[in-house]
């Protein structure tokens, strides 16, 4: 009796995109991150079937993708992979699923570095968890989404994006220790200021391959340090003097990558102190410093992102800090902007972007929202 009502039931799950205040490319180095969920999300409407068919529809792409439970494979279409990737993880873990139908939609801009992919994966996991009574905790879901991304998107991402999508809380950022997975909610009181995203409109094809290269370079640096200091297991355990002693003489490029990560971890702690003290000016300065590191040491920026940050610097009366956000090679910058100046500053940025780069600039105000849930 239960089964037949179960089959007819449509479950709608929602999970949001994310921003990250500071702590970039630190998650897969066992460091800290400071993300928050935003008020834009992916939605999955899920219904079990009595057979083994899987029918996926994307409202936004106006496309359908069909397969069966025994053939959950990567698709050329792209968007189905974020749904199928988590199904694949559950099947590999021995979870018994039936066929199902899913409709997917959402308003997280794709390719803007706001983690629309993690949002889709987490919405799907929330729906599967509810439909099959899996009793997964949210951290397990975040780890499952991360593994799905490794296997089906081929990008060796860290835990930050699905974590933020699942754990977000209105009015708060989260300081996550990616080594222990302990986290705290930090109230984000920025009265009078707004977090503004400038979408460069650039989606670089290098993003995923270069991301994996950065990860390897960090691992190479850790190996060089660990050869002398076996207690060092990740860049979280490394210090600048260690990098100078054991990495710099061997490989300058690896040294610069690792230096950025070690500095960024320290910067995040200082930035959290700034927030606690209500020192938004200090916090803003660290955003600029992070951008410098990402652009010159870690080299994951691009001319458009650098341009947006340089333009932001020209308006110190309006902007406290600005930096590229997320994996890099395109996507958005995040800027802390005086509320009363958001409109005029945005207009000036749009004009400058059009004039210098001949492109339209999309600007969004990021509002911090709650993490994913089942919609009742
Ligand atoms: C992408 C990845 C995250 C993180 C950021 C950079 O968003 O998905 O895991 O590594 O890049 O901080």
């Amino acid at each position: 009796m239960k089964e037949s009502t179960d089959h007819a039931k449509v479950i709608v799950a929602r999970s949001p995109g994310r921003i990250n205040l500071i702590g970039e490319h630190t998650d897969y180095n066992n460091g800290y991150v400071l993300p928050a969920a935003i008020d834009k999300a992916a939605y999955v409407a899920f219904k079990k079937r009595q057979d083994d068919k899987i029918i996926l529809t994307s409202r936004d792409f106006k496309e359908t993708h069909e397969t069966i439970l025994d053939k959950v494979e990567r698709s050329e279409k792209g968007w189905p992979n974020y749904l199928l990737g988590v199904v694949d993880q559950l099947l590999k873990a021995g979870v018994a699923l039936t066929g199902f139908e899913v409709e997917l939609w959402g308003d997280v801009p794709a390719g803007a570095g706001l983690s629309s992919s993690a949002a889709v994966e987490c919405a799907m996991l929330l729906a599967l968890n509810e439909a099959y009574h899996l009793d997964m905790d949210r951290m397990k879901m975040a780890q499952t989404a991360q593994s799905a991304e490794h296997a089906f998107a081929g990008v060796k991402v860290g835990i930050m994006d699905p974590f933020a999508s699942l754990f977000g809380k209105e009015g708060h950022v989260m300081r996550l220790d990616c080594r222990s997975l302990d986290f705290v909610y930090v109230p984000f009181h920025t009265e009078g200021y707004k977090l503004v995203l400038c979408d460069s409109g650039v989606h670089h094809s290098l993003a995923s391959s270069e991301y994996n290269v950065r990860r390897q370079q960090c691992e190479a640096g850790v190996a060089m340090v660990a050869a002398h200091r076996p207690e060092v297991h990740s860049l979280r355990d490394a210090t600048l003097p260690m990098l100078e002693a054991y990495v710099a003489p061997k490989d300058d490029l690896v040294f610069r990558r690792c230096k950025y990560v070690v500095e960024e971890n320290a910067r995040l702690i200082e930035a959290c102190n700034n927030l606690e003290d209500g020192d938004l000016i200090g916090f803003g300065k660290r955003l600029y410093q992070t951008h410098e590191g990402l652009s010159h040491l870690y080299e994951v920026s691009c001319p458009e992102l650098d341009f947006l940050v340089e333009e932001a610097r020209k308006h110190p009366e309006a902007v406290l800090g600005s930096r590229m956000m997320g994996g890099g090679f395109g996507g958005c910058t995040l800027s802390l902007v005086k509320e009363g100046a958001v409109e005029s500053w945005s207009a000036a940025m749009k004009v400058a972007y059009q004039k210098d780069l001949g492109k339209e600039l999309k600007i969004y105000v990021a509002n911090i929202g709650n993490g994913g849930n089942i919609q009742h």
Side-chain angles (χ1 to χ4, degrees):
M1 191 61 200
K2 175 120 188 354
E3 274 305 291
S4 59
T5 30
D6 251 20
H7 275 98
K9 199 169 141 196
V10 176
I11 293 166
V12 178
R14 163 202 154 273
S15 215
R18 64 101 189 89
I19 51 172
N20 184 27
L21 273 292
I22 195 162
E24 216 64 273
H25 287 275
T26 43
D27 58 354
Y28 55 85
N29 286 303
N30 272 350
Y32 298 100
V33 291
L34 196 68
I38 56 172
D39 61 351
K40 293 184 190 298
Y43 295 82
V44 156
F46 180 99
K47 194 167 89 183
K48 280 185 191 172
R49 290 177 61 92
Q50 310 259 14
D51 57 19
D52 66 347
K53 271 195 192 154
I54 294 179
I55 305 177
L56 311 174
T57 306
S58 161
R59 220 185 255 181
D60 304 321
F61 287 104
K62 298 189 176 49
E63 272 182 355
T64 293
H65 181 77
E66 278 198 42
T67 186
I68 53 170
L69 270 177
D70 276 350
K71 267 180 98 39
V72 172
E73 291 163 359
R74 280 173 75 155
S75 143
E76 289 298 304
K77 289 192 194 100
W79 65 266
N81 290 334
Y82 302 105
L83 300 166
L84 294 174
V86 297
V87 173
D88 173 60
Q89 289 299 316
L90 295 188
L91 291 174
K92 280 187 186 141
V95 175
L97 302 176
T98 59
F100 57 82
E101 289 170 28
V102 155
E103 188 178 6
L104 169 69
W105 70 97
D107 59 0
V108 187
L114 299 174
S115 290
S116 57
S117 57
V120 172
E121 289 155 356
C122 293
M124 183 64 175
L125 276 163
L126 287 164
L128 289 163
N129 187 52
E130 177 85 2
Y132 296 96
H133 313 290
L134 302 181
D135 208 18
M136 288 174 94
D137 69 41
R138 286 187 176 227
M139 199 56 93
K140 179 77 192 144
M141 284 190 215
Q143 288 165 326
T144 305
Q146 183 189 8
S147 304
E149 192 95 11
H150 289 190
F152 266 50
V155 192
K156 302 279 277 174
V157 293
I159 190 93
M160 171 170 72
D161 303 348
F163 164 80
S165 184
L166 289 163
F167 286 88
K169 186 167 157 183
E170 213 182 319
H172 293 77
V173 294
M174 295 165 283
R175 190 179 69 230
L176 171 70
D177 177 338
C178 300
R179 180 166 63 185
S180 64
L181 297 183
D182 289 338
F183 65 97
V184 287
Y185 288 105
V186 181
F188 195 63
H189 298 306
T190 52
E191 279 85 22
Y193 286 87
K194 291 276 176 200
L195 292 166
V196 183
L197 300 165
C198 292
D199 184 351
S200 67
V202 178
H203 312 295
H204 213 293
S205 59
L206 277 179
S208 49
S209 57
E210 283 295 315
Y211 186 96
N212 292 344
V213 168
R214 293 300 175 283
R215 206 175 161 140
Q216 285 159 12
Q217 289 166 332
C218 292
E219 283 162 13
V222 171
M224 288 175 204
V225 177
H228 302 267
R229 305 289 290 267
E231 72 276 17
V232 171
H233 302 291
S234 68
L235 287 178
R236 170 71 175 279
D237 310 320
T239 61
L240 220 45
M242 288 181 195
L243 298 178
E244 274 154 9
Y246 310 125
V247 183
K250 284 195 158 168
D251 190 327
D252 183 57
L253 187 66
V254 168
F255 170 70
R256 287 192 290 124
R257 305 296 191 241
C258 296
K259 180 173 190 268
Y260 161 75
V261 173
V262 168
E263 287 178 348
E264 179 72 352
N265 268 324
R267 199 156 35 230
L268 183 143
I269 302 294
E270 287 155 7
C272 287
N273 293 337
N274 292 147
L275 281 185
E276 222 165 89
D277 299 344
D279 176 9
L280 286 184
I281 294 179
F283 184 79
K285 279 189 187 144
R286 302 204 195 281
L287 298 186
Y288 281 128
Q289 289 164 3
T290 290
H291 187 78
E292 285 295 295
L294 286 167
S295 180
H296 300 301
L297 295 174
Y298 217 62
E299 294 180 291
V300 291
S301 187
C302 63
E304 291 84 351
L305 291 170
D306 288 344
F307 176 85
L308 288 170
V309 172
E310 282 320 304
E311 274 305 302
R313 272 187 202 281
K314 292 182 188 164
H315 300 267
E317 73 299 341
V319 185
L320 293 187
S322 181
R323 68 176 191 85
M324 59 148 279
M325 192 183 71
F329 302 102
C332 287
T333 59
L334 174 76
S335 308
L336 189 56
V337 184
K338 214 171 261 176
E339 192 165 0
V342 169
E343 225 170 278
S344 56
W345 178 73
S346 301
M349 291 295 283
K350 285 184 180 188
V351 169
Y353 205 65
Q354 185 69 49
K355 182 163 167 272
D356 272 62
L357 297 167
K359 289 186 205 173
E360 190 204 340
L361 179 66
K362 290 203 185 83
I363 299 190
Y364 319 94
V365 171
N367 296 309
I368 296 181
N370 285 321
N373 62 346
I374 299 294
Q375 308 271 278
H376 292 289

